[in-house]
Amino acid sequence: MHATHLLLEEPIRMASILEPSKTNFYSAMTRIVGTLGSKSRSVEVLSGCLKAGMSVARFDFSLGDAEYHQETLENLKIAVKATKKLCAVMLDTVGAELQVINKSESSISLKADGLVVLTPNQDQEANSEILPISFDGLAKAVKKGDTIFMGQYLFTGSETTSVWLEVSEVKGADVVCVVKNSATLSGALFTLHVSQVHIDLPTLTEKDKEVIRTWGVKNSIDFLSLSYTRHAEDVREARQFLSTLGDIGQTQIFAKIENIEGLTHFDEILQEADGIILSRGNLGIDLPPEKVFLFQKAAVYKCNMAGKPAVVTRVVDSMTDNLRPTRAEATDVANAVLDGTDAILLGAETLRGFYPVETISIVGKICAEAEKVFNQDLYFKKTVKYVGEPMSHLESIASSAVRAAIKVKASIIICFTSSGRAARLIAKYRPTMPVLSVVIPRLKTNQLRWSFTGAFEVGPTARQSLIVRGLFPMLADPRHPAESTNSTNESVLKVALDHGKASGVIKSHDRVVVCQKVGDSSVVKIIELED
């Protein structure tokens, strides 16, 4: 394990904690992914979410059909144009999720020490004695003594709407369970999670493929959240499938680690995936509670060193129903940032919570405070040591740009990029200042329409940076193609500097570090702005 030391003066002046925080144009370097649903799909609320700091919108296909999510997305597009705030789109697959089917949607009360039967016979009516499930192989997968967690905790954020079961016996295709705690389940759908047991279902189901093939392609999704990723092969198969769909071949795949299998094969999965989502909801069932923090710290460290985004879930569940997080939750968000997390993913808090905008705002403020005491110097040295020598050309340029920016106390790093790789590498070294990624589009046709206004047409390279800590995209004019001359580079740089000034990130006499290609060479230069 690698310790993270806070950058705090000792002894800290306690009165300084009470001083109001300064507000910046970029409220926090850490990004926020918001799951959209019943309480967060109007244009008004979505505009509030974007202004509060949401940079990625997650569409969870465990709930709602394609038409429902399309309506939400159309509202998001209106909000994006109105607020001029960029937002990426993430499609979250259902995957190997086990579900209880409650067609009547009547409440089901389960009493501690009672018995309940889980059956694959979906013709049965759900009641307190028998529950039909969506998987016919459960009886073959479990044995006496296995633990099953069931309920709506993923949707509601409340563990009180869930129940623990212990397998008592297997009767043919049915599984008889002892109820461990009293609970009342309501609604049409509950999920099942069997602790540390392999479920023989594909990671990318036929239903998932159909959603991606239709809704995903139509909306040019930026990220695919691959639920229940268990092996590197899961990611390879998903990537192969995306490659057959043409328009979304560039979609990034984020492997969602939510059980022991994913944890066991983490290193191979990380190599294949574009990023990792630490799904602490399900993972917290598979792992003993005292082990969850160890996985989080180890996984985030590995992501950081690989230069791939790490996303942490389940941080402020109590805000689903309350205006303020608990003290433990606030500390948990800060610790995730100090661990090196790129983004915080909000689920039930924004999906059906009463305070989606306030939740995003408060999480952003906690992230910003934690970033102030993040020990960048220690992190930089650790990352350089991990990369070792000889460095690749691009890695050397990226680390040099960050080192220069720190030494001259630059206000911002500006990076010219077409693929986004250079900008992501700079962000990997966690500079203390924002990285403005100036995306130079590679035009294949004159029919493409580009926009500075934050419209969805800006393309995946710009939007995919919206999940990387400290990376803020800006689209260059397409009349300045990637293979540009020095004079057009200078023209684009002026636009980028003007953008920085207008947004309040740069002011007179500030220093700016610029990373760009000149001919076949990569150049890092320092500019001192005049009046």
Side-chain angles (χ1 to χ4, degrees):
M1 293 301 298
H2 295 257
T4 301
H5 301 289
L6 297 187
L7 187 64
L8 293 172
E9 294 178 43
E10 292 292 348
I12 187 169
R13 194 168 58 86
M14 288 297 176
S16 67
I17 295 172
L18 300 177
E19 293 170 2
S21 302
K22 293 179 182 176
T23 55
N24 299 315
F25 176 76
Y26 301 120
S27 56
M29 306 279 249
T30 307
R31 315 319 286 267
I32 297 175
V33 181
T35 304
L36 304 188
S38 58
K39 294 291 195 297
S40 53
R41 61 195 306 260
S42 71
V43 174
E44 182 184 5
V45 172
L46 288 168
S47 297
C49 289
L50 292 169
K51 289 175 183 176
M54 180 181 78
S55 62
V56 180
R58 172 175 170 255
F59 293 81
D60 185 356
F61 274 79
S62 292
L63 290 169
D65 58 17
E67 185 179 352
Y68 178 87
H69 288 304
Q70 191 64 44
E71 287 176 6
T72 306
L73 180 55
E74 294 307 320
N75 285 345
L76 178 63
K77 289 179 180 180
I78 295 169
V80 161
K81 288 175 180 174
T83 60
K84 293 183 168 55
K85 299 282 188 183
L86 271 178
C87 188
V89 173
M90 174 182 284
L91 189 161
D92 197 295
T93 63
V94 177
E97 182 175 270
L98 307 186
Q99 298 174 339
V100 178
I101 313 300
N102 181 20
K103 293 176 183 174
S104 70
E105 298 191 31
S106 57
S107 295
I108 298 170
S109 293
L110 299 174
K111 299 295 183 184
D113 301 324
L115 294 178
V116 66
V117 177
L118 305 179
T119 178
N121 181 3
Q122 294 186 26
D123 292 331
Q124 289 272 12
E125 191 70 36
N127 57 54
S128 59
E129 296 176 352
I130 192 161
L131 297 171
I133 62 174
S134 61
F135 177 51
D136 60 10
L138 186 64
K140 295 176 182 176
V142 300
K143 64 184 184 304
K144 181 178 172 62
D146 281 346
T147 298
I148 299 175
F149 191 61
M150 177 178 70
Q152 291 189 314
Y153 73 109
L154 290 178
F155 310 137
T156 65
S158 172
E159 309 260 350
T160 60
T161 58
S162 306
V163 65
W164 290 91
L165 307 174
E166 183 180 301
V167 176
S168 173
E169 61 175 317
V170 174
K171 284 186 175 180
D174 294 348
V175 178
V176 182
C177 300
V178 177
V179 180
K180 304 302 286 184
N181 65 285
S182 297
T184 298
L185 307 178
S186 59
L189 187 70
F190 327 126
T191 58
L192 285 180
H193 188 96
V194 189
S195 181
Q196 300 192 25
V197 169
H198 173 75
I199 298 300
D200 192 18
L201 283 172
T203 301
L204 198 62
T205 65
E206 288 306 313
K207 181 183 175 183
D208 289 329
K209 288 180 179 178
E210 182 59 24
V211 166
I212 296 166
R213 194 183 290 117
T214 53
W215 194 90
V217 170
K218 176 182 178 181
N219 296 298
S220 303
I221 57 171
D222 303 298
F223 303 108
L224 180 70
S225 168
L226 192 61
S227 296
Y228 296 94
T229 303
R230 293 165 284 187
H231 302 272
E233 187 59 31
D234 295 338
V235 182
R236 285 192 285 268
E237 287 178 4
R239 202 176 299 284
Q240 173 59 32
F241 175 68
L242 290 178
S243 72
T244 66
L245 301 178
D247 286 352
I248 60 169
Q250 287 181 284
T251 294
Q252 291 189 351
I253 298 174
F254 274 55
K256 210 169 167 192
I257 307 299
E258 36 195 334
N259 56 25
I260 293 290
E261 284 181 275
L263 182 152
T264 306
H265 302 107
F266 185 86
D267 290 347
E268 307 96 89
I269 291 170
L270 178 60
Q271 275 192 307
E272 291 292 331
D274 296 299
I276 297 288
I277 297 174
L278 284 64
S279 183
R280 301 192 307 176
N282 280 331
L283 199 63
I285 298 166
D286 253 26
L287 283 175
E290 66 273 17
K291 297 289 187 181
V292 175
F293 85 95
L294 283 173
F295 170 73
Q296 176 175 317
K297 289 182 180 293
V300 170
Y301 173 76
K302 286 173 180 286
C303 289
N304 288 166
M305 294 304 105
K308 294 185 177 182
V311 182
V312 170
T313 71
R314 302 303 294 267
V315 289
V316 286
D317 283 347
S318 71
M319 287 200 74
T320 305
D321 300 302
N322 299 294
L323 195 50
R324 288 169 65 95
T326 67
R327 289 77 178 155
E329 287 172 333
T331 304
D332 185 36
V333 173
N335 279 327
V337 173
L338 296 173
D339 285 344
T341 299
D342 284 83
I344 300 293
L345 190 154
L346 301 172
E349 304 99 320
T350 52
L351 173 77
R352 60 162 289 278
F354 295 112
Y355 309 104
V357 176
E358 291 85 352
T359 301
I360 292 167
S361 177
I362 288 174
V363 168
K365 287 176 183 176
I366 298 168
C367 290
E369 287 296 320
E371 288 158 10
K372 291 176 186 175
V373 293
F374 180 78
N375 194 328
Q376 195 278 336
D377 183 55
L378 180 68
Y379 179 93
F380 184 90
K381 289 174 181 173
K382 189 168 63 177
T383 309
V384 168
K385 184 178 179 182
Y386 181 90
V387 171
E389 295 177 355
M391 277 187 174
S392 70
H393 174 75
L394 202 54
E395 191 101 38
S396 175
I397 291 292
S399 58
S400 297
V402 175
R403 189 191 299 274
I406 299 289
K407 293 291 184 186
V408 304
K409 291 184 167 50
S411 298
I412 197 168
I413 299 173
I414 297 176
C415 177
F416 290 74
T417 182
S418 54
S419 68
R421 185 167 167 238
R424 285 194 300 272
L425 264 181
I426 291 173
K428 168 184 172 179
Y429 286 89
R430 294 286 188 262
T432 52
M433 66 291 296
V435 180
L436 185 61
S437 172
V438 182
V439 180
I440 314 282
R442 292 182 182 275
L443 289 186
K444 295 180 182 177
T445 168
N446 291 329
Q447 302 306 310
L448 282 180
R449 297 180 64 193
W450 300 84
S451 169
F452 289 93
T453 62
F456 272 73
E457 290 77 14
V458 295
T461 300
R463 292 195 304 266
Q464 284 167 350
S465 64
L466 293 168
I467 205 165
V468 180
R469 180 159 153 184
L471 195 53
F472 299 88
M474 175 195 140
L475 192 76
D477 192 317
R479 289 170 297 181
H480 301 150
E483 294 77 18
S484 58
T485 64
N486 191 51
S487 60
T488 55
N489 268 339
E490 291 303 314
S491 175
V492 175
L493 176 58
K494 183 180 184 306
V495 173
L497 291 171
D498 288 344
H499 175 78
K501 289 173 186 173
S503 60
V505 182
I506 311 170
K507 58 185 186 300
S508 298
H509 305 295
D510 277 2
R511 290 170 178 172
V512 175
V513 168
V514 180
C515 186
Q516 66 185 120
K517 285 198 82 170
V518 176
D520 294 329
S521 303
S522 296
V523 175
V524 174
K525 63 182 181 182
I526 301 165
I527 298 172
E528 187 156 344
L529 300 182
E530 299 173 353
D531 288 331

